[in-house]
Amino acid sequence: MKKILPIFSYIFHPIFIPIMAALVYLFFNLSLFVNQEKLFVLFQILIVTVIIPILLFLLLRAAGRIDSIMVAEVSQRKIPLIIHCFLLILLVRKSITLDRYPELHFFFLGALMSTLQALVLSFFKTKASFHMMGISSLTVFVMGLSMHYQIQNSFMITFLILMNGFVASSRLEMKAHTPSELILGFLLGSVPQLLLLYLWL
C-alpha cells in the first residue's frame, strides 16, 4: 500500500484538476455544446492550466527558483502562485465566461480565491496542501453540479470523497505535509466553492 499511495499524488496533482473539472462539466452538458466547442474549451483550459504552467516550471527550475514539481518549500511557492492567479484571471475574463459557461466560470473563480488565499499564507510562511485544495474543490464542484442538474451521481461523488482520503494519505506517506497543512488545504479548496454555490445553484 505504501508503494501505491504516492501514485494518487501524481494522478490528482493540482495541475490536472482544472481539466478534470472541465471534463465533468461537459459530461453534465453533453447535449448543450457541439463537439467542436467541447474540444475548444478543453484545449483552452489545457493550454492555460497545464501546458503553460509546465513550461514555466521548467523555466523556473532551470533558473534555480524551484527544485521539484511538488513545490515543497514555502519560499518557492510565491512565484508559481502569482503566475497561477494571472492565468486563472485570464480564463475567467476571456475564455470561461459567465454568460457562456456559468458553472465552470464559478469553479475557476473559486479556484482563484483559493489560490489568492494560499498566496497570502505563503507570505506568512504558512504552507497549505495544493493537492487537497485541488481535490476538495473538484469534489464540491461535482456535488454542486449534481444538485444543479438534479442528477443522481452518487458513484462519482463517493469516488471523489474516497480520493480526498487517498490523496491526503499519499501526501502524509510522502512526508510532504503535516495533518494541519492537509486540513488547511482542504478548507482553502472547498470553502470558496461552497460559498460560490449560492450564486449558481
Side-chain angles (χ1 to χ4, degrees):
M1 193 66 179
K2 289 184 177 181
K3 293 181 179 179
I4 296 173
L5 279 174
I7 296 172
F8 292 96
S9 285
Y10 293 97
I11 294 174
F12 293 99
H13 190 280
I15 203 170
F16 301 128
I17 296 299
I19 202 74
M20 291 180 184
L23 285 168
V24 173
Y25 172 73
L26 293 174
F27 173 77
F28 275 89
N29 292 279
L30 285 175
S31 59
L32 189 60
F33 307 113
V34 296
N35 288 335
Q36 187 176 358
E37 184 173 6
K38 293 174 189 175
L39 290 173
F40 183 65
V41 169
L42 290 174
F43 186 64
Q44 288 181 89
I45 294 171
L46 183 68
I47 289 175
V48 175
T49 65
V50 179
I51 295 175
I52 292 177
I54 287 175
L55 292 174
L56 289 170
F57 162 75
L58 294 173
L59 181 64
L60 289 170
R61 189 173 68 173
R65 304 302 298 266
I66 290 178
D67 56 15
S68 166
I69 196 169
M70 296 299 179
V71 198
E73 297 296 325
V74 179
S75 60
Q76 297 179 358
R77 293 180 160 215
K78 294 173 186 174
I79 295 175
L81 283 170
I82 291 170
I83 293 170
H84 190 57
C85 284
F86 280 112
L87 292 174
L88 288 174
I89 291 169
L90 178 66
L91 267 181
V92 297
R93 286 182 61 88
K94 300 296 183 181
S95 302
I96 312 301
T97 56
L98 180 60
D99 58 329
R100 185 60 182 154
Y101 314 103
E103 299 87 356
L104 197 57
H105 175 86
F106 281 116
F107 170 78
F108 283 111
L109 198 58
L112 176 59
M113 291 168 62
S114 299
T115 305
L116 285 169
Q117 291 177 82
L119 177 60
V120 171
L121 288 174
S122 70
F123 283 98
F124 293 95
K125 297 182 179 180
T126 302
K127 184 179 173 184
S129 170
F130 293 162
H131 282 74
M132 291 309 297
M133 279 173 56
I135 190 66
S136 64
S137 65
L138 179 62
T139 305
V140 174
F141 180 59
V142 172
M143 288 178 177
L145 287 175
S146 298
M147 290 185 286
H148 183 61
Y149 293 109
Q150 297 183 344
I151 297 174
Q152 187 69 21
N153 201 20
S154 55
F155 175 79
M156 189 181 293
I157 293 170
T158 302
F159 172 77
L160 286 172
I161 291 172
L162 286 173
M163 288 306 102
N164 276 264
F166 278 115
V167 169
S169 299
S170 172
R171 304 309 287 154
L172 288 173
E173 179 61 32
M174 296 174 74
K175 295 180 172 56
H177 290 290
T178 62
S180 60
E181 290 168 353
L182 294 172
I183 293 170
L184 182 57
F186 177 85
L187 292 173
L188 287 183
S190 58
V191 172
Q193 296 293 335
L194 285 169
L195 292 174
L196 290 173
L197 282 182
Y198 290 100
L199 298 179
W200 62 269
L201 272 186

